[in-house]
Amino acid sequence: TLTDHRFLGLIDVRSSSQFPPAEWTAHTVSEITRPCDESLLITPEVDVETAWLKMERFGLREMLVVKGGRLLGVLSRSRL
């Protein structure tokens, strides 16, 4: 989720399952946004090998590239 171009957190399938689909129009995205675990984040200055090793260590398929609180992109294991 972005507010004022600042990265706030994540929303995933588990988060959205808090409410039945019939209630989705009564809730906002900010209600289901959760803080992002630091293990999912990486800065653009990190070398590719370090990024790959971090993904391996945490069993991640994707990592969020963040700098100064701004989401710059998503690094995907399949794209490496």
Side-chain angles (χ1 to χ4, degrees), residues 19-71:
F19 308 109
E23 294 180 16
W24 285 356
T25 58
H27 298 280
T28 64
V29 170
S30 64
E31 289 179 70
I32 60 172
T33 300
R34 62 180 172 85
C36 187
D37 185 309
E38 287 295 316
S39 66
L40 299 173
L41 305 178
I42 199 153
T43 63
E45 294 81 18
V46 172
D47 64 80
V48 176
E49 181 179 21
T50 301
W52 177 265
L53 292 172
K54 186 174 181 180
M55 292 172 103
E56 284 287 310
R57 183 173 63 238
F58 291 106
L60 303 172
R61 288 184 281 172
E62 298 176 329
M63 293 181 69
L64 304 173
V65 182
V66 177
K67 184 172 185 173
R70 294 184 69 136
L71 178 64

Side-chain angles (χ1 to χ4, degrees), residues 2 5-8 66-71:
L2 296 173
H5 300 286
R6 311 261 325 147
F7 179 72
L8 299 176
V66 177
K67 184 172 185 173
R70 294 184 69 136
L71 178 64

